[in-house]
Amino acid sequence: MNKFSIILMLSFCSIFSQAQEVIPLYADSIPGAKPTPATYVENTETRANGTLSVTKVSVPTLTVFEAPKNIATGTAVIICPGGGYGALAFSHEGTDVAKRFNAIGVTAFVLKYRLPSDQIMVDKTYALLQDAQKAIYLVRKNAKKYGIKTDKLGIMGFSAGGHFASTLASHYSDLKIANPEKIDLRPSFAVLVYPVISFEESVHTGTMKNLLGPNPSDSLKKYFSANENVNKKTPPMYFVHAKDDKTVPVANSELMHKALLAAKIPSNLFYFEKGGHGFGLVNKTSETDWFNLMAGWLKVQKFKVKGDF
């Protein structure tokens, strides 16, 4: 970790209140990392709509949002913002969502994962899976500290973050990190909101190109298409997608949903008729609060949440 990265990480932490803990994913050197060039500087900016966008991430972190002790249920979730693997929509697909989870007694960890780049990675192909595995490893390892139950830890992702989360759900056993304690890296559940799923059909080409380059092999496309890698141990999943999404077609969620049902794994796909892509917690074309519906599904799946859903 060079001095530029350290300064950036500290300045990023200042965005949150002092009560917000930020944990580096890697305490020492980052496996497979090249020395970060002085010109490769992490940048956090506020967009015109007031949301935060983070680019050029080289130092991955988890920002902790602990559920209030009087309503904490022991359920937890790791949240992965989207951004096409070129940026992270850190507030409206990250910290805002964490606060909603806190309100129903769920502790949340917002993952600021590395964005694939040949400038900072020896091999960018599997670096994101490495970050996903490391995140769930750290949270489970420190479950007692945060008052969470190791069998109640899920992962959530939006858009490319949904691809990130679905890749962990598919390949948690393909070990890319040191795991001397043999901690289980399988998420207990997954929530995927307008996710990129397939690199074979209905492809979001920007996401695939950023992760795998312009001409990936068929074997890599299959590996990173979660619907092709479902088995009996794949965790239950909840999907949210608008039918008029032109950026990431709804077929992505449908492919995964059908694969899960075929394997007899609990899966629910909630459709919005309209709303396009990137609406986050609030689809302005509908009065339906998908988050509450998802919370009800979690309760049905025996993951404790606070509230009448």
Side-chain angles (χ1 to χ4, degrees):
M1 190 184 299
N2 63 30
K3 64 180 181 179
F4 297 100
S5 299
I6 293 170
I7 292 168
L8 284 164
M9 186 174 72
L10 292 174
S11 62
F12 187 87
C13 297
S14 68
I15 294 172
F16 306 100
S17 69
Q18 290 184 353
Q20 227 67 64
E21 181 184 6
V22 179
I23 311 167
L25 273 196
Y26 305 97
D28 299 311
S29 59
I30 299 173
K34 296 178 181 177
T36 305
T39 55
Y40 196 92
V41 179
E42 183 179 311
N43 183 52
T44 302
E45 63 179 41
T46 303
R47 294 175 172 175
N49 61 5
T51 63
L52 289 180
S53 175
V54 184
T55 54
K56 292 189 175 181
V57 177
S58 61
V59 181
T61 63
L62 282 167
T63 301
V64 186
F65 288 78
E66 290 192 64
K69 293 194 185 313
N70 62 322
I71 61 169
T73 64
T75 301
V77 64
I78 296 167
I79 302 170
C80 312
Y85 288 155
L88 297 177
F90 203 79
S91 55
H92 90 286
E93 292 177 354
T95 56
D96 293 349
V97 183
K99 293 169 187 174
R100 283 294 303 270
F101 272 111
N102 283 177
I104 61 170
V106 176
T107 290
F109 301 81
V110 181
L111 178 56
K112 186 180 70 170
Y113 54 89
R114 287 176 290 168
L115 297 167
S117 170
D118 293 325
Q119 287 184 268
I120 62 168
M121 298 167 176
V122 175
D123 180 2
K124 67 180 181 180
T125 305
Y126 297 103
L128 274 68
L129 177 56
Q130 186 178 54
D131 285 359
Q133 290 181 352
K134 187 67 172 181
I136 201 163
Y137 167 88
L138 279 181
V139 174
R140 279 213 169 107
K141 185 176 180 179
N142 292 286
K144 187 175 181 180
K145 174 182 177 181
Y146 297 111
I148 62 179
K149 297 176 182 177
T150 57
D151 62 343
K152 306 294 183 187
L153 172 61
I155 192 162
M156 178 182 202
F158 294 76
S159 195
H163 183 266
F164 181 99
S166 71
T167 300
L168 174 66
S170 303
H171 297 301
Y172 57 86
S173 61
D174 184 9
L175 203 61
K176 303 297 182 187
I177 62 168
N179 186 5
E181 304 91 341
K182 297 183 179 179
I183 291 171
D184 184 6
L185 303 182
R186 175 187 177 273
S188 306
F189 63 86
V191 178
L192 306 180
V193 186
Y194 39 80
V196 176
I197 292 292
S198 177
F199 281 174
E200 298 177 312
E201 301 178 53
S202 302
V203 176
H204 184 244
T205 53
T207 298
M208 183 173 70
K209 184 178 179 181
N210 282 340
L211 183 64
L212 302 182
N215 298 299
S217 65
D218 289 342
S219 61
L220 273 180
K221 288 180 184 179
K222 184 174 182 178
Y223 183 94
F224 286 101
S225 296
N227 59 297
E228 294 280 8
N229 296 282
V230 172
N231 59 48
K232 291 181 180 180
K233 293 185 178 179
T234 303
M237 297 192 188
Y238 189 94
F239 299 87
V240 180
H241 221 126
K243 291 181 180 178
D244 67 347
D245 191 335
K246 299 290 193 291
T247 304
V248 177
V250 70
N252 280 271
S253 287
E254 291 173 336
L255 284 167
M256 190 65 177
H257 177 58
K258 289 175 183 176
L260 291 164
L261 293 180
K264 298 183 179 179
I265 295 165
S267 177
N268 189 89
L269 171 52
F270 176 73
Y271 289 106
F272 282 111
E273 290 297 321
K274 296 181 180 180
H277 190 73
F279 49 78
L281 285 168
V282 181
N283 184 337
K284 293 180 180 179
T285 72
S286 172
E287 294 182 357
T288 302
D289 184 348
W290 66 258
F291 186 91
N292 279 344
L293 296 177
M294 179 273 299
W297 177 83
L298 284 177
K299 184 173 281 191
V300 169
Q301 298 302 318
K302 309 300 183 186
F303 297 105
K304 289 185 179 181
V305 298
K306 284 287 185 180
D308 240 348
F309 302 107

